[in-house]
């Protein structure tokens, strides 16, 4: 199997090469380690460690090759910070006002996508499954298909696919769509995104859509919902470690409050960190009886620090935290504990275990793995989840909330804090069953099985519509 993704699955730390931080590496590395294969990723020109273009991992017992596509500094700025993170990301998350449009972004996006396609074609043997990941690589599938028409290509889109009327705002929206239609299978987390994609293909390209299939250039492109999960066993084991439990207990001792609320996110405007803080501030104003009894612990992992809107958000969050703590702290009690840094997964697990409430309120999120991680690691807490996440379609036992509704956020926080233990346990038991079903191994197996099926029926010349 060949995976193509913007980021590599590993990073160099003081302990040597370790799995990278972020949704995708967290999800896919265990799968590729099991199956073996090649992971094609960009080589970041800012990385000073002079990364090799080909690398075996793990060194002592190689399970996969990491192949790197070298980018110039200018390409990184235009393709990654520009097109991917200042155009496609805000568009998909309905933040049209954050879109920055510069023609150089698209030119380099095309060029880099073409280079990824060339690297994939060099690595792929006949019959290999090619699995392209995410919004950085929309054009690569069509380039691969042009060069190697018999290729078996899947693409998984990890973020929302917006309503057609929002997607069509993108300059070059048609070319971008055509890029993905080079695939045999395109996957999304939930049906809503599938519907939006089909509608985009139908309206913007005039493609024929039958069931969940787009007819395109004489081929059938299946468009399917494959909700991603976490490595459930891995998280449960980590949560059960004595070390994790001791860290969770130490955290509670140190904070010395009755109620601990946590939020864990990349520092990104889509994650709703600022409005969450404002809601917590309003909660403290409205319910003085909770003063000195509650702490809100927000981990914000640094992300896309070169993009101006992320720098702006950081300033606003810093300011809000300072204001809240300045206004409400008393004696040794500090209401907001804000950490702008990266933690190990095991440390995150200790936060999940220590928490009474996980407050996860993205303004829009493709799935949200943090919610699933909390469910796997925690035993008797409450999950508050934004209804504008993919996860909300699946984790129906969570307390769901519209993250734009400040009053609703305050009310749901109070409800979570005052929920009877029995109800919390019941809801969590239901959530744990869902999270177990969503497991990342299942996600990868189901997507790959679907890709294999699409290929088999193509080889047999079967009309796919018959089975749909
Ligand atoms: C994208 C989509 C979709 C966070 N901080 C640290 C750290 N993390 C890990 C979390 C979790 C992952 O990163 C974040 O996943 P999310 O799903 O919450 O969000 P995105 O990064 O935006 O991911 C998202 C996902 O792709 C998968 O398809 O769910 O909607 O936006 O696993 O634990 N990990 C470590 N240190 C940190 O400080 N080790």
């Amino acid at each position: 199997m060949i995976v193509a993704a913007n980021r590599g699955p590993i990073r160099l730390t003081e302990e040597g090469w370790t799995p990278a931080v972020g949704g995708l590496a967290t999800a896919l590395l265990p799968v590729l380690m099991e199956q073996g294969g090649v992971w094609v990723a960009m080589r970041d020109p800012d990385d000073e460690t002079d990364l090799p273009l080909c690398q075996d991992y793990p060194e002592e017992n190689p399970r996969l090759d990491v192949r790197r596509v070298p980018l110039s500094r200018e390409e990184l700025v235009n393709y990654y910070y520009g097109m991917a993170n200042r155009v496609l990301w805000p568009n998909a998350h309905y933040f049209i006002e954050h879109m920055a449009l510069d023609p150089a972004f698209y030119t380099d996006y095309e060029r880099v996508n073409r280079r990824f396609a060339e690297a994939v074609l060099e690595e792929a043997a006949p019959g290999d499954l090619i699995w392209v990941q995410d919004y950085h690589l929309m054009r690569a599938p069509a380039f691969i298909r042009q060069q190697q028409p018999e290729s078996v290509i899947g693409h998984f889109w990890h973020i929302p696919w917006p309503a057609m009327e929002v997607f069509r705002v993108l300059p070059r929206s048609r070319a971008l769509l055509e890029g993905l239609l080079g695939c045999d299978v395109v996957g999304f987390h939930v049906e809503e995104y599938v519907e939006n994609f089909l509608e985009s293909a139908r309206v913007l390209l005039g493609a024929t859509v039958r069931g969940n299939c787009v007819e395109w250039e004489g081929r059938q492109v299946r468009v399917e919902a494959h909700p991603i999960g976490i490595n459930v066993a891995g998280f449960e084991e980590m949560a059960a470690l004595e070390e994790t439990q001791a860290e969770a207990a130490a955290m509670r001792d140190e904070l010395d409050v009755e109620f601990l609320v946590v939020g864990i996110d990349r520092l990104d405007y889509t994650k709703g960190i600022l409005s969450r803080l404002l809601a917590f501030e309003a909660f403290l104003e409205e319910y003085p009886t909770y003063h000195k009894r509650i702490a809100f612990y927000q981990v914000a992992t640094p992300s896309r620090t070169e993009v101006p809107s992320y720098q702006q958000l950081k300033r606003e969050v810093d300011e809000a935290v300072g204001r809240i703590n300045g206004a409400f702290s008393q004696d040794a009690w500090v209401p907001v504990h804000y950490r702008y840094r990266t933690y190990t997964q095991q440390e995150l697990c200790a936060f999940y275990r220590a928490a009474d409430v996980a407050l996860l309120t993205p303004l829009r999120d493709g799935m949200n793995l943090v919610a699933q991680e909390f469910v796997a690691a925690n035993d008797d807490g409450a999950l508050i989840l934004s209804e504008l996440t993919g996860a909300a379609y699946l984790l129906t036992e969570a307390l769901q909330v519209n993250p734009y509704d400040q009053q609703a956020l305050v009310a749901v926080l109070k409800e979570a804090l005052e929920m009877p233990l029995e109800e919390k346990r019941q809801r969590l038991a239901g959530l744990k069953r869902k999270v177990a079903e969503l497991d990342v191994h299942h996600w990868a197996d189901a997507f790959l099985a679907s890709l294999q099926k699409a290929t088999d029926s193509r080889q047999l010349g079967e009309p796919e519509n018959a089975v749909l």
Side-chain angles (χ1 to χ4, degrees), residues 15 38 80 111 122 139 160 173-174 179 225 249 262 267 290 298 311 368 399 441 461:
E15 290 96 55
V38 182
Y80 177 69
R111 199 204 327 269
E122 276 170 31
R139 295 284 296 149
S173 59
R174 291 177 180 81
V262 300
L267 187 67
Y290 277 91
Q298 174 67 51
Q311 296 162 357
N368 192 286
L399 286 169
H441 297 95

Side-chain angles (χ1 to χ4, degrees), residues 21-23 26 89 93 158-159 189 228 264 266 271 301 341-345 348 352 365-370 373:
V21 173
T26 310
W89 176 269
H93 291 85
H158 288 260
I159 62 179
H189 291 306
I228 202 168
I264 295 173
R266 284 183 304 99
K271 301 290 183 183
T301 310
R341 50 160 286 197
T342 301
Y343 287 89
T344 64
Q345 261 190 357
L348 293 185
Y352 295 138
D365 210 338
M367 171 58 80
N368 192 286
L369 293 177
V370 170
E373 291 168 4

Side-chain angles (χ1 to χ4, degrees), residues 9-218:
I10 52 175
R11 64 191 179 123
L12 193 53
T13 65
E14 281 163 10
E15 290 96 55
W17 286 97
T18 55
V21 173
L24 183 58
T26 310
L28 220 57
L29 190 60
V31 180
L32 206 61
M33 294 273 284
E34 264 170 38
Q35 303 203 352
V38 182
W39 185 306
V40 179
M42 69 152 174
R43 184 167 76 173
D44 187 338
D46 291 345
D47 199 309
E48 283 152 16
T49 46
D50 203 16
L51 298 173
L53 291 181
C54 289
Q55 181 185 355
D56 288 339
Y57 179 80
E59 221 172 348
E60 58 293 354
N61 173 26
R63 297 291 306 148
L64 65 122
D65 291 334
V66 180
R67 157 99 192 237
R68 297 191 176 89
V69 177
L71 301 191
S72 69
R73 174 75 199 156
E74 197 181 346
E75 283 170 340
L76 180 76
V77 166
N78 289 331
Y79 142 83
Y80 177 69
Y81 288 112
M83 187 67 194
N85 287 331
R86 299 181 68 185
V87 181
L88 297 173
W89 176 269
N91 179 272
H93 291 85
Y94 294 77
F95 282 87
I96 289 178
E97 74 281 11
H98 281 261
M99 284 168 62
L101 299 172
D102 177 338
F105 293 174
Y106 189 82
T107 310
D108 276 355
Y109 186 81
E110 281 275 300
R111 199 204 327 269
V112 171
N113 268 252
R114 202 178 281 278
R115 250 192 277 136
F116 264 84
E118 283 159 7
V120 166
L121 287 163
E122 276 170 31
E123 298 291 342
D128 276 357
L129 300 183
I130 298 168
W131 194 0
V132 182
Q133 301 291 329
D134 228 353
Y135 61 101
H136 313 90
L137 298 173
M138 288 180 91
R139 295 284 296 149
F143 292 141
I144 298 169
R145 177 76 56 208
Q146 262 166 21
Q147 297 298 314
Q148 198 70 261
E150 293 312 309
S151 301
V152 183
I153 313 169
H155 189 290
F156 193 83
W157 183 265
H158 288 260
I159 62 179
W161 189 277
M164 182 276 291
E165 283 295 346
V166 171
F167 180 74
R168 78 185 306 170
V169 169
L170 280 173
R172 316 296 297 260
S173 59
R174 291 177 180 81
L176 291 163
L177 258 175
E178 283 173 15
L180 287 183
L181 291 174
C183 290
D184 297 285
V185 179
V186 182
F188 296 96
H189 291 306
V190 294
E191 282 301 331
E192 184 201 313
Y193 310 155
V194 169
E195 295 298 324
N196 291 344
F197 181 86
L198 292 172
E199 175 83 344
S200 302
R202 196 177 59 76
V203 175
L204 301 178
L205 296 177
T208 302
V209 173
R210 286 186 216 282
N212 66 339
C213 218
V214 182
E215 295 179 12
W216 188 245
E217 296 181 336

Side-chain angles (χ1 to χ4, degrees), residues 384-407:
I384 299 176
L385 182 62
S386 157
E387 61 191 19
L388 302 181
T389 60
Y393 287 93
L394 306 149
L395 303 183
T396 46
E397 294 87 347
L399 286 169
Q400 299 204 357
V401 65
N402 175 348
Y404 286 92
D405 185 340
Q406 280 282 314
Q407 283 183 329

